[in-house]
Amino acid sequence: MRKLTLLFGLLLTLGSLHAQEKGQFVLQAEANAGILFCYPYQGTFNSIDLFGSIGPVFRYQAGEHLGIGLGANYCLHECFQYLPVFADAKYSFGTGKTRPYAEIRAGYAINLKHTAPGLNGDLNWYSVEGFYSQLILGCSIGHSDLGIGGQLVNMKTFVNELVDVLPGGCYAFSKNRLQPAVFLQYAYNFHFRK
């Protein structure tokens, strides 16, 4: 019985080493890879495109389970690049070495590069700029996070179509549309003690 108590105490001590402490600062370095579902204009489904992102999140541990912070991710897509800047809230369930978590983000995506008009005869262009949000569910194992998430980001579309029935033969419009995406995430957390 004494050995069992000693073993249980040792496990609790090791588990508490990975627990989040109130007042602690965390730097999270992350990488995401996912699929963006594109509906660029006129409500029609166009394509499924791969994208990836990397970036940091700076978080303050407001309580044993809740961390709040700010972050930015450089997102790379075949046709465009953008930089989301966002507020972040992460809630961890439990305090052991392995803990499930839920994370929510909301912010603004800054356009860095968009498709060029006239590419392959296409007169349209697309850019990602505006509202940005993510919801991530995952599991922390020590300092590593593994998660799966969903994302909404605003895509701006400028369409320039040649139409025979209009004077001048050209019809142009622009449209904003929230584009959904799903992704996998890996992150490593650097903890800074008080």
Side-chain angles (χ1 to χ4, degrees):
M1 183 67 175
R2 184 172 179 224
K3 288 182 182 180
L4 186 60
T5 306
L6 184 60
L7 180 62
F8 184 68
L10 180 62
L11 289 174
L12 283 177
T13 302
L14 289 175
S16 68
L17 292 176
H18 295 282
Q20 304 289 328
E21 292 182 14
K22 183 178 177 180
Q24 182 180 60
F25 287 94
V26 177
L27 168 60
Q28 178 174 304
E30 65 184 40
N32 303 322
I35 299 170
L36 180 68
F37 302 95
C38 289
Y39 297 82
Y41 63 95
Q42 296 178 346
T44 59
F45 178 73
N46 187 33
S47 64
I48 296 175
D49 299 326
L50 299 177
F51 76 95
S53 67
I54 57 170
V57 177
F58 300 96
R59 190 176 296 118
Y60 174 75
Q61 202 61 37
E64 187 176 4
H65 300 285
L66 179 65
I68 53 174
L70 298 173
N73 278 340
Y74 171 73
C75 295
L76 178 63
H77 181 274
E78 179 184 358
C79 298
F80 41 79
Q81 298 168 21
Y82 56 100
L83 179 72
V85 178
F86 52 85
D88 173 88
K90 180 178 180 181
Y91 189 86
S92 297
F93 303 92
T95 57
K97 183 177 178 181
T98 303
R99 346 170 259 295
Y101 69 87
E103 190 170 354
I104 189 164
R105 299 171 173 179
Y108 189 87
I110 301 165
N111 179 44
L112 300 177
K113 178 185 172 188
H114 62 269
T115 58
L119 191 64
N120 299 326
D122 189 5
L123 299 174
N124 309 326
W125 62 265
Y126 315 102
S127 69
V128 172
E129 185 174 356
F131 177 77
Y132 171 86
S133 68
Q134 286 186 338
L135 173 65
I136 305 161
L137 301 174
C139 187
S140 296
I141 303 168
H143 291 277
S144 294
D145 290 351
L146 298 171
I148 186 167
Q151 171 181 293
L152 286 175
V153 66
N154 184 58
M155 181 180 284
K156 291 189 173 190
T157 305
F158 179 77
V159 177
N160 192 2
E161 295 182 355
L162 297 175
V163 180
D164 292 332
V165 295
L166 294 176
C170 192
Y171 172 68
F173 68 91
S174 64
K175 187 169 197 163
N176 290 329
R177 181 182 297 279
L178 289 177
Q179 303 293 326
V182 293
F183 61 91
L184 297 174
Q185 179 186 76
Y186 173 77
Y188 190 85
N189 296 287
F190 299 91
H191 299 266
F192 301 96
R193 303 285 179 192
K194 294 183 277 185

